[in-house]
Amino acid sequence: MARYTTYGLNIPQLTILAGLLMSLLGLGFFIHTDFLTALFPTLFGLLLITAGIASIVRPDLNALSMHLAVLTSLFSAILGLATALFG
């Protein structure tokens, strides 16, 4: 099966990149604020990195790992919006 590409990266690689950015964001906020809850983006980033690596290493699990990445992204977005709106 041909993999879709965006900006020269396929979707599992893009997932790993997004996970790395979220992890760095969480670590940066934690270093700056010393609040343990600032590490939540790092947790979600690690889940995205794991899903992307699983998709690359085991192409037969591509659909499952990318669905897990979508659910992780959806859950982190809902959690972030709920926190921003309701405190």
Side-chain angles (χ1 to χ4, degrees):
M1 175 175 83
R3 293 188 177 217
Y4 297 104
T5 59
T6 304
Y7 299 111
L9 299 172
N10 60 31
I11 300 302
Q13 291 171 337
L14 200 59
T15 302
I16 293 171
L17 179 64
L20 286 172
L21 289 174
M22 286 181 70
S23 295
L24 289 175
L25 179 74
L27 288 173
F29 280 141
F30 177 70
I31 290 169
H32 182 69
T33 64
D34 287 331
F35 289 124
L36 192 60
T37 56
L39 290 175
F40 280 137
T42 303
L43 172 69
F44 290 117
L46 290 176
L47 290 172
L48 287 175
I49 292 169
T50 303
I53 290 173
S55 178
I56 291 171
V57 172
R58 300 271 313 265
D60 55 320
L61 296 177
N62 183 39
L64 176 65
S65 61
M66 289 297 101
H67 279 88
L68 289 174
V70 168
L71 287 174
T72 301
S73 299
L74 181 65
F75 186 65
S76 67
I78 289 171
L79 184 62
L81 285 173
T83 303
L85 293 175
F86 305 114

